Amino acid sequence: MEVYFSGTIERIIFENPSNFYRILLLDIEDTDAEDFDDFEIIVTGTMADVIEGEDYTFWGQIIQHSKYGEQLQISRYERAKPTKNGLVKYFSSSHFKGIGLKTAQKIVDSYGENTIDEILEHPEKLESIAGLSAKNREAFVSTLRLNYGTEMVLAKLANYGIPNKLAFQIQNFYKEETLDIVENYPYQLVEDIKGLGFTIADQLAAELGIESQAPERFRAGLVHSLFQGCMDTGNTYMEARDLLEQTLTLLESSRPVELDPSQVAQELSHLIEEDKVQQIDTKIFDNSLFFAEEGIRSHLVRILEKGKQKSHDLETIQKHIASVEKELGIQYDSIQKQAICDAIQNKVFILTGGPGTGKTTVINGIIA
């Protein structure tokens, strides 16, 4: 069950700038979590820059850490309007090089209310701040724009029901185009963002007023159904008929509306024409899987056609196997011996088998 905690960030315990993962200690002012009577809680998750001493509200799930006890694993968060003291502390932190407490105080005093918004709108005013070099000034504005922009995007995506972790993936992929893509081409997310399923994109599209009969909706459903179908079966393709049936089921279950199968089939034809998917006879291939398989095939052909296979006498191989058995203190069965012989006598050999069937033991015999 999702709960919220509002309060002041007492301390940033850990932060990873590469993926925005942070661990915070929150001094609790308010919460709707029942039976939680502590005055502070550890907050974990992906989030943009946060400021110690400032007020935030975090939403998420309470989890039980084996070592550190109850923690809030967040799905989204919201920052209250930062105070002047909080901004001074933030600007003089390690996030901004070359800015000490005095310079940070000058910046806040110079811009007054809505400091961050004013800085981003009128960065030229920083030129009047004594002690702030042109290089540090440029880096300061750039970092502030990145962090603040990221936070604004995350807040917007949270309003659409997209959790922070997924929101960061979207932000990292589209950069400054994030909101434009999300709000105008939500189904593009299905093709570009791994882990973002059709349902999330479809819910977002519905909120934005995109009709259930929209061609882009059909295309996204086809792309998602194709990839998911391949993952479920272990194949690199689906039969066109099966793909259309599964896509119709997906589309009609996501939104309660009856669709014309011919319209979905038409969009499949468009995807094929645009090389978004590949077709061989009645089989439809996911692009990533098709080209991966084609790459493997071409490499195998290259290996098979390159030079002649060195001849190995079967009797010599069997003597070698007996020597390996003695050295390793093992006894190969007939199938394992045949596998070793086949591997040595052929340019390409594929060894398969479930856990505990002796694949490693066979490989040891091949390379010994």
Side-chain angles (χ1 to χ4, degrees):
M1 182 181 70
E2 186 177 71
V3 296
Y4 78 83
F5 284 82
S6 294
T8 305
I9 294 179
E10 184 176 321
R11 182 161 52 96
I12 299 174
I13 299 171
F14 171 82
E15 54 187 346
N16 184 342
S18 65
N19 62 8
F20 297 96
Y21 180 80
R22 288 179 167 83
I23 301 175
L24 319 171
L25 179 61
L26 184 73
D27 187 6
I28 302 168
E29 294 177 5
D30 188 29
T31 180
D32 64 351
E34 297 180 1
D35 301 324
F36 191 92
D37 53 8
D38 206 344
F39 62 90
E40 59 185 16
I41 189 170
I42 296 292
V43 177
T44 69
T46 50
M47 58 194 90
D49 269 355
V50 291
I51 306 173
E52 290 181 347
E54 291 298 295
D55 293 338
Y56 292 79
T57 299
F58 297 94
W59 289 265
Q61 306 282 338
I62 294 179
I63 62 170
Q64 186 70 34
H65 191 281
S66 58
K67 185 176 181 180
Y68 299 109
E70 287 186 314
Q71 298 182 350
L72 181 68
Q73 192 173 68
I74 71 165
S75 56
R76 56 194 173 98
Y77 72 99
E78 186 177 279
R79 179 172 63 179
K81 184 178 179 180
T83 64
K84 286 189 175 182
N85 287 338
L87 286 172
V88 170
K89 188 173 183 179
Y90 176 48
F91 292 162
S92 60
S93 70
S94 59
H95 293 92
F96 304 99
K97 294 182 179 180
I99 298 180
L101 280 171
K102 290 184 178 180
T103 303
Q105 185 67 60
K106 291 177 184 178
I107 293 173
V108 173
D109 290 342
S110 175
Y111 281 94
E113 293 293 323
N114 302 315
T115 299
I116 294 178
D117 290 332
E118 287 295 315
I119 291 173
L120 296 179
E121 190 171 346
H122 303 289
E124 68 279 358
K125 285 179 61 177
L126 290 170
E127 296 176 12
S128 64
I129 304 296
L132 186 60
S133 68
K135 182 179 179 181
N136 288 338
R137 184 170 63 243
E138 184 178 335
F140 172 69
V141 174
S142 176
T143 302
L144 190 61
R145 180 171 284 117
L146 173 64
N147 293 336
Y148 190 64
T150 297
E151 187 169 291
M152 295 296 289
V153 169
L154 292 180
K156 189 76 170 179
L157 295 181
N159 289 337
Y160 290 131
I162 299 175
N164 264 18
K165 190 171 183 179
L166 196 53
F168 270 104
Q169 281 184 257
I170 297 171
Q171 165 75 5
N172 287 336
F173 189 89
Y174 295 121
K175 306 298 183 185
E176 66 275 3
E177 296 181 339
T178 297
L179 289 181
D180 179 54
I181 296 293
V182 168
E183 295 181 339
N184 294 295
Y185 312 99
Y187 290 114
Q188 185 66 35
L189 302 175
V190 177
E191 295 185 35
D192 295 337
I193 309 298
K194 295 299 181 185
L196 192 147
F198 175 82
T199 302
I200 293 177
D202 200 35
Q203 290 172 350
L204 175 58
E207 285 188 37
L208 295 169
I210 296 178
E211 297 291 335
S212 59
Q213 306 277 353
E216 61 266 35
R217 181 171 186 260
F218 297 162
R219 292 163 64 94
L222 286 161
V223 169
H224 174 84
S225 296
L226 177 57
F227 184 77
Q228 193 60 52
C230 290
M231 292 297 100
D232 291 343
T233 62
N235 294 322
T236 57
Y237 68 89
M238 288 182 68
E239 289 290 339
R241 179 186 294 273
D242 295 337
L243 174 58
L244 288 171
E245 288 179 355
Q246 289 192 26
T247 302
L248 278 167
T249 299
L250 173 69
L251 294 171
E252 293 179 347
S253 62
S254 181
R255 297 199 208 177
V257 60
E258 188 173 347
L259 301 174
D260 181 354
S262 66
Q263 292 181 336
V264 180
Q266 184 178 29
E267 289 309 316
L268 176 57
S269 297
H270 291 161
L271 287 172
I272 295 169
E273 291 168 3
E274 297 167 16
D275 274 340
K276 297 292 186 180
V277 298
Q278 303 300 312
Q279 179 187 26
I280 297 179
D281 298 325
T282 60
K283 297 176 175 60
I284 308 298
F285 292 77
D286 171 85
N287 265 2
S288 62
L289 300 177
F290 177 85
F291 290 113
E293 187 174 57
E294 179 61 21
I296 293 170
R297 184 201 66 80
S298 64
H299 282 304
L300 289 175
V301 170
R302 177 181 56 80
I303 292 170
L304 291 170
E305 292 179 347
K306 185 178 180 181
K308 291 184 178 181
Q309 170 67 22
K310 186 177 180 180
S311 177
H312 295 279
D313 178 71
L314 181 59
E315 185 177 346
T316 301
I317 296 174
Q318 290 173 338
K319 288 181 180 179
H320 171 78
I321 292 174
S323 175
V324 171
E325 287 178 321
K326 184 177 180 181
E327 181 182 341
L328 299 179
I330 60 174
Q331 182 67 48
Y332 288 113
D333 62 28
S334 59
I335 296 177
Q336 290 174 319
K337 289 179 180 179
Q338 185 62 52
I340 294 172
C341 291
D342 289 344
I344 294 173
Q345 291 178 315
N346 293 279
K347 287 184 177 182
V348 175
F349 173 76
I350 299 175
L351 179 65
T352 65
T357 55
K359 296 187 296 297
T360 302
T361 305
V362 170
I363 292 172
N364 289 337
I366 295 171
I367 64 178

